Amino acid sequence: MFSSKKSKDIYTVGFYNVENLFDTIDNPNTFDDDFTTNGKKNWNHKRYRDKVKKLGSVISQLGNEKSYHAPAIVGLVEVENAKVVEDLANSKYLRKHHYNFVHYDSPDDRGIDVALLYNKQMFELLGSENFPLYLEDEEGDRDYTRDVLVVYGNLNGELVHILVNHWPSRREGTEESEYKRIEAAKLARSIVEVIQAKSYDAKIMIMGDFNDDPTSKSIKEHLVTEDFYNPMEALLDRDTVGTLTYDSKWNLFDQIIITKNFLEPQIDKHHFKHAEVFNKKWLRIFKGKLKGSPFRTYIGPWYQGGFSDHFPVYLYLKKED
């Protein structure tokens, strides 16, 4: 049973699809035109700063029911560039928590990337790398998508590896696009195998917006094999628990998956305690046909002033003395 009390030896790891965190500047190499001052969405600096502040507020609260610390590590997807991640790290609710970040530009057509925030007082960065996912469309042309970000470092003195993912969407149809997410899963597994070849008992976290549920083929058959545990799968047993809605149905695309050695309490090591979706009432739409869904920045072309179309997820790790 997980104690209801706060503890100084409990640490939080989070993941958040922040939904189109674009600056207002046009990048001529990507399709970011809608999110510029002259674009269709009337995106402007005031709206951008408001979104950054709101996202920072959410991130600062992940895990605060059980931990005295702001999250040690937070994976991010749908960030446009390093500048928006830097603005987020330096925003009102996060600047006091000593965050730094890792980011690489991905070749995604829309110009959205993955990144990792980390609290410098809890996580010592040792290295990072990005791995491109090579896909082809029906014509045999390169289908550009997000890279997998790999970060490794010492979490309170313990070496951990983190893979941040944003797998291809279901826009073309779930079945039609399934092969792309299976290829993404295979890429993640190949990265894991390289890590494990160097250290067979490496502690690894695979987080991301997988655009598939914990029970989907890409996750269940190609990613979570006997050496991994997916704590998000247990959340599916609850009614109306997910991280986003589509056609009034919930999906749990946002997940944090861990190697099974996180389940073993050991002295001076971190072990898994609990996982949750952060879905507070104030993060939800409170009326209308989308009631209960994540309160997002836009619905179609209409500005709403919300947070994201996804809820973040997080898990608690306890470090044994």
Side-chain angles (χ1 to χ4, degrees), residues 171-232:
R171 193 174 297 111
E172 304 157 19
T174 302
E175 293 182 3
E176 291 82 354
S177 60
E178 181 183 55
Y179 77 95
K180 296 182 180 181
R181 292 182 295 281
I182 289 175
E183 287 301 312
K186 290 178 178 178
L187 173 60
R189 281 301 317 185
S190 70
I191 296 168
V192 166
E193 288 167 7
V194 170
I195 296 169
Q196 291 176 332
K198 296 177 181 177
S199 176
Y200 76 95
D201 61 345
K203 281 192 163 178
I204 304 170
M205 292 182 271
I206 307 176
M207 60 177 66
D209 173 359
F210 298 103
N211 274 299
D212 268 339
D213 289 310
T215 52
S216 298
K217 184 177 180 180
S218 63
I219 302 284
K220 195 79 171 173
E221 297 182 21
H222 294 277
L223 186 64
V224 182
T225 52
E226 66 281 350
D227 50 348
F228 275 86
Y229 170 69
N230 189 355
M232 315 309 294

Side-chain angles (χ1 to χ4, degrees), residues 131-191:
F131 292 82
L133 173 60
Y134 190 89
L135 297 170
E136 293 183 354
D137 61 21
E138 293 178 352
E139 286 74 39
D141 296 325
R142 176 80 184 269
D143 186 359
Y144 292 98
T145 187
R146 283 76 58 176
D147 296 343
V148 178
L149 172 63
V150 179
V151 178
Y152 59 97
N154 290 320
L155 176 62
N156 301 310
E158 182 181 18
L159 179 62
V160 297
H161 295 75
I162 305 124
L163 281 65
V164 187
N165 300 256
H166 188 188
W167 289 4
S169 77
R170 297 183 170 194
R171 193 174 297 111
E172 304 157 19
T174 302
E175 293 182 3
E176 291 82 354
S177 60
E178 181 183 55
Y179 77 95
K180 296 182 180 181
R181 292 182 295 281
I182 289 175
E183 287 301 312
K186 290 178 178 178
L187 173 60
R189 281 301 317 185
S190 70
I191 296 168

Side-chain angles (χ1 to χ4, degrees), residues 9-240:
D9 58 3
I10 295 291
Y11 298 91
T12 308
V13 173
F15 172 80
Y16 199 5
N17 179 329
V18 293
E19 189 201 15
N20 295 325
L21 184 55
F22 284 91
D23 60 24
T24 60
I25 302 166
D26 180 35
N27 182 339
N29 299 316
T30 62
F31 300 122
D32 68 342
D33 299 40
D34 287 354
F35 288 93
T36 58
T37 51
N38 297 318
K40 292 179 181 178
K41 293 185 179 292
N42 296 311
W43 192 234
N44 57 47
H45 193 68
K46 181 180 178 182
R47 290 179 175 182
Y48 168 70
R49 299 303 302 182
D50 182 65
K51 182 175 175 79
V52 167
K53 184 175 77 170
K54 284 177 174 172
L55 294 173
S57 172
V58 174
I59 290 169
S60 71
Q61 296 180 63
L62 295 179
N64 68 356
E65 293 178 349
K66 304 287 177 69
S67 175
Y68 282 106
H69 316 287
I73 296 167
V74 183
L76 303 171
V77 301
E78 291 203 18
V79 296
E80 184 183 14
N81 50 42
K83 183 62 169 66
V84 303
V85 185
E86 182 179 19
D87 288 347
L88 180 60
N90 293 327
S91 61
K92 178 179 178 180
Y93 297 101
L94 294 185
R95 65 172 68 111
K96 65 182 178 181
H97 295 301
H98 313 285
Y99 283 107
N100 205 341
F101 65 93
V102 181
H103 166 272
Y104 293 86
D105 286 316
S106 288
D108 179 81
D109 291 334
R110 290 181 54 223
I112 54 173
D113 307 327
V114 305
L116 187 84
L117 282 177
Y118 63 92
N119 186 317
K120 292 181 289 183
Q121 294 187 332
M122 302 177 203
F123 184 81
E124 177 194 8
L125 177 68
L126 296 179
S128 64
E129 193 173 356
N130 64 322
F131 292 82
L133 173 60
Y134 190 89
L135 297 170
E136 293 183 354
D137 61 21
E138 293 178 352
E139 286 74 39
D141 296 325
R142 176 80 184 269
D143 186 359
Y144 292 98
T145 187
R146 283 76 58 176
D147 296 343
V148 178
L149 172 63
V150 179
V151 178
Y152 59 97
N154 290 320
L155 176 62
N156 301 310
E158 182 181 18
L159 179 62
V160 297
H161 295 75
I162 305 124
L163 281 65
V164 187
N165 300 256
H166 188 188
W167 289 4
S169 77
R170 297 183 170 194
R171 193 174 297 111
E172 304 157 19
T174 302
E175 293 182 3
E176 291 82 354
S177 60
E178 181 183 55
Y179 77 95
K180 296 182 180 181
R181 292 182 295 281
I182 289 175
E183 287 301 312
K186 290 178 178 178
L187 173 60
R189 281 301 317 185
S190 70
I191 296 168
V192 166
E193 288 167 7
V194 170
I195 296 169
Q196 291 176 332
K198 296 177 181 177
S199 176
Y200 76 95
D201 61 345
K203 281 192 163 178
I204 304 170
M205 292 182 271
I206 307 176
M207 60 177 66
D209 173 359
F210 298 103
N211 274 299
D212 268 339
D213 289 310
T215 52
S216 298
K217 184 177 180 180
S218 63
I219 302 284
K220 195 79 171 173
E221 297 182 21
H222 294 277
L223 186 64
V224 182
T225 52
E226 66 281 350
D227 50 348
F228 275 86
Y229 170 69
N230 189 355
M232 315 309 294
E233 186 172 353
L235 301 182
L236 291 176
D237 294 336
R238 306 183 197 172
D239 293 332
T240 65

